[in-house]
Amino acid sequence: LTGTSREQRAFQYLLAHAIPGDPHHILQTFDQWCYHCEHLSSAHAMSGRIVERVLLEQAPLRVLELGTYCGYGTVLLAQGLPPGARLYTIEGDPRHAAVAEKVIRLAGFSEQMVELIVGPSEEVIPRLREKHGLMNANLVFMDHWKRCYLRDLRLLESHQLLAEGATILADNVLFPGAPHFLQYAKTCGKYHCKVHRASLEY
């Protein structure tokens, strides 16, 4: 009826209510919108606490996010990075990427700190080193299509984009679920696995 998408309406709400340059307030305002107005399938406060703890413990300098969507997870990651760190985030849908770009910049993060790459992850991952300068990632946050988790993990492995001791955080592996990814991570012998229990978004 409004002629705008849910994602665009969420951004308009951010513009009206959030404090520019304040990432924490941007996320709080996002949560308010999703709890009280319209649901968005993005990372949220509970899964956010897990992300924040990992960032605090590991202080990764090179972070890769698969699935930018509206930029909630991107802002969450970026606000917890140590000085000099760089975040690369990949979004396959140009419409969502356009909203995310505005959200990321509204939160105060420059292109030097957060680079948004638009395109299918299976096409972008093989070009990350040559085209975008990502030699390897210390932390990977997966929050895109669950059926792509295993394929993209194997792509990261085959292109040697995982730093030694890298951490991979994958959201929603139980529901809606990424069973093949989970089985591979548990049985391939390359990873130590831990499942964190959390609620569904909002």
Side-chain angles (χ1 to χ4, degrees):
L1 290 173
T2 63
T4 59
S5 67
R6 276 189 307 172
E7 294 78 18
Q8 289 171 320
R9 291 194 292 274
F11 177 68
Q12 292 301 321
Y13 184 84
L14 285 182
L15 276 181
H17 297 91
I19 301 169
D22 185 337
H24 183 68
H25 196 258
I26 296 278
L27 296 178
Q28 279 188 327
T29 308
F30 236 128
D31 288 334
Q32 285 178 339
W33 169 264
C34 292
Y35 276 120
H36 303 296
C37 301
E38 292 183 277
H39 172 265
L40 294 174
S41 297
S42 56
H44 58 110
M46 183 177 283
S47 60
R49 285 194 289 273
I50 297 167
V51 173
E52 287 170 345
R53 189 170 71 242
V54 170
L55 290 169
L56 191 63
E57 289 171 356
Q58 301 188 8
L61 290 175
R62 297 174 304 279
V63 178
L64 174 64
E65 179 186 31
L66 303 178
T68 318
Y69 190 39
C70 290
Y72 185 105
T74 315
V75 172
L76 178 69
L77 288 163
Q79 74 168 354
L81 292 181
R86 186 164 172 79
L87 168 60
Y88 302 80
T89 182
I90 300 171
E91 174 54 47
D93 188 323
R95 295 166 301 175
H96 295 161
V99 173
E101 181 83 45
K102 291 184 281 191
V103 170
I104 294 163
R105 305 312 166 208
L106 183 67
F109 300 113
S110 68
E111 291 181 21
Q112 285 68 43
M113 184 176 181
V114 179
E115 181 179 351
L116 173 58
I117 305 164
V118 184
S121 55
E122 72 271 22
E123 294 178 12
V124 174
I125 289 172
R127 305 196 310 258
L128 281 172
R129 181 175 286 116
E130 183 182 329
K131 189 171 180 182
H132 301 281
L134 175 61
M135 301 310 292
N136 52 44
N138 308 113
L139 173 66
V140 178
F141 182 49
M142 293 185 169
D143 196 16
H144 57 324
W145 292 108
K146 312 314 160 203
R147 65 175 181 269
C148 301
Y149 279 17
L150 179 55
R151 180 202 68 196
D152 288 351
L153 176 59
R154 285 178 161 160
L155 273 175
L156 291 168
E157 290 173 347
S158 65
H159 288 84
Q160 299 178 317
L161 287 164
L162 297 175
E164 186 176 347
T167 296
I168 296 149
L169 280 174
D171 204 11
N172 305 120
V173 293
L174 299 179
F175 185 84
H180 299 299
F181 166 84
L182 208 52
Q183 182 183 22
Y184 176 77
K186 286 179 175 179
T187 61
C188 71
K190 301 174 185 177
Y191 305 101
H192 298 287
C193 293
K194 182 176 181 181
V195 176
H196 298 268
R197 300 282 172 172
S199 67
L200 289 174
E201 296 91 349
Y202 308 106

